[in-house]
Amino acid sequence: MCIRDRRRSSQILRQLCNSAPGLSGHYQELTGSLGVMAQAAFDGKVLLQGDGGLSVATMAGGCFWGPQLMFDRLEGVEFSAVGYTQGRQDAPTYEQICSGNTGHTEAVQVWFDESVIGYSDLLSAFWNQIDPLQVNGQGNDWGTQYRAGVYPHTLTHMGMAQDSFATEQNKWRQPIGTELVAAKVFWPAEQEHQRYLERGGRFGGAQSAAKGCTDPIRCYG
């Protein structure tokens, strides 16, 4: 993480800490921008801006490892994190959400420079990544925790998402299975899940997160 990111994140974190309860579990081990996300979650807040006024987007496309790498390769995406959102339980763990009982879905939150990449561009990349017809799953991963969804953080982005959903639906006879709901609290996942494929994944084969990289993404590494 760059120095600018650490300084700005520390400022946001101090502001949140004035009213937020203390962190627990793996959340207290997260630092920098991940720590900002964790503190916001414990305070029940949905972030409207990231570091330095960056815009925020949250989307779910099945197992969160692949979508994170996809977003990280896009110019204008300055930071991303995998985590859990749209659920009922506070401070969930990976093991808990994998049960399918918490209501969360695996998602990626992206902080992006809207002067470089627009929200509509993120949506286009998202549609190219997923199977929009699959309900409660993506690929070989099934369950509500793998459901695909778009979760806008602002009314402007909600309107853009609605237009994008209408355009995507026109491509198919069947109704698309991707949900569109306003963003709820985002709980950043454990450190070992962050940038998982870039760090080697299950099989030790690191995949490039370089901007503009078009290498096929191997879902599990």
Side-chain angles (χ1 to χ4, degrees):
M1 185 179 298
C2 65
I3 296 297
R4 178 184 64 84
D5 182 35
R6 287 200 297 268
R7 288 176 178 170
R8 177 60 179 166
S9 295
S10 295
Q11 292 171 2
I12 298 174
L13 188 56
R14 283 195 297 271
Q15 294 169 5
L16 291 170
C17 283
N18 289 334
S19 59
L23 306 182
S24 61
H26 76 267
Y27 298 98
Q28 62 189 334
E29 301 171 0
L30 302 177
T31 60
S33 296
L34 288 171
V36 170
M37 290 179 173
Q39 193 68 73
F42 271 77
D43 200 29
K45 294 182 177 180
V46 176
L47 290 176
L48 299 181
Q49 288 188 331
D51 172 47
L54 293 170
S55 297
V56 181
T58 301
M59 301 182 191
C63 175
F64 48 26
W65 298 330
Q68 181 177 35
L69 183 60
M70 180 271 292
F71 283 123
D72 282 345
R73 289 174 171 181
L74 301 178
E75 292 284 355
V77 170
E78 299 295 329
F79 180 77
S80 73
V82 296
Y84 320 117
T85 193
Q86 310 306 114
R88 299 178 296 273
Q89 179 178 319
D90 288 345
T93 66
Y94 183 72
E95 289 74 17
Q96 289 169 338
I97 71 101
C98 281
S99 72
N101 295 326
T102 70
H104 295 86
T105 186
E106 293 191 9
V108 182
Q109 185 166 113
V110 171
W111 293 0
F112 64 105
D113 184 345
E114 211 152 358
S115 69
V116 178
I117 185 170
Y119 189 69
S120 59
D121 298 316
L122 296 180
L123 288 166
S124 294
F126 171 78
W127 292 123
N128 288 333
Q129 175 76 13
I130 70 164
D131 176 358
L133 301 181
Q134 192 168 345
V135 179
N136 288 332
Q138 284 292 298
N140 294 323
D141 294 315
W142 292 92
T144 57
Q145 69 271 31
Y146 296 118
R147 69 187 185 274
V150 175
Y151 311 109
H153 288 243
T154 68
L155 291 176
T156 298
H157 286 170
M158 175 60 81
M160 296 171 71
Q162 289 170 337
D163 290 343
S164 180
F165 268 66
T167 298
E168 186 65 24
Q169 181 60 76
N170 286 336
K171 300 176 183 178
W172 308 96
R173 291 186 177 181
Q174 311 97 305
I176 60 176
T178 307
E179 66 180 4
L180 174 59
V181 187
K184 295 183 179 179
V185 170
F186 177 87
W187 299 91
E190 295 83 344
Q191 187 67 58
E192 59 263 31
H193 293 291
Q194 306 297 335
R195 304 168 72 103
Y196 184 71
L197 298 183
E198 183 183 353
R199 294 185 294 104
R202 289 182 180 175
F203 309 114
Q207 300 182 59
S208 175
K211 299 302 183 187
C213 179
T214 58
D215 293 345
I217 294 175
R218 304 185 304 276
C219 294
Y220 303 109

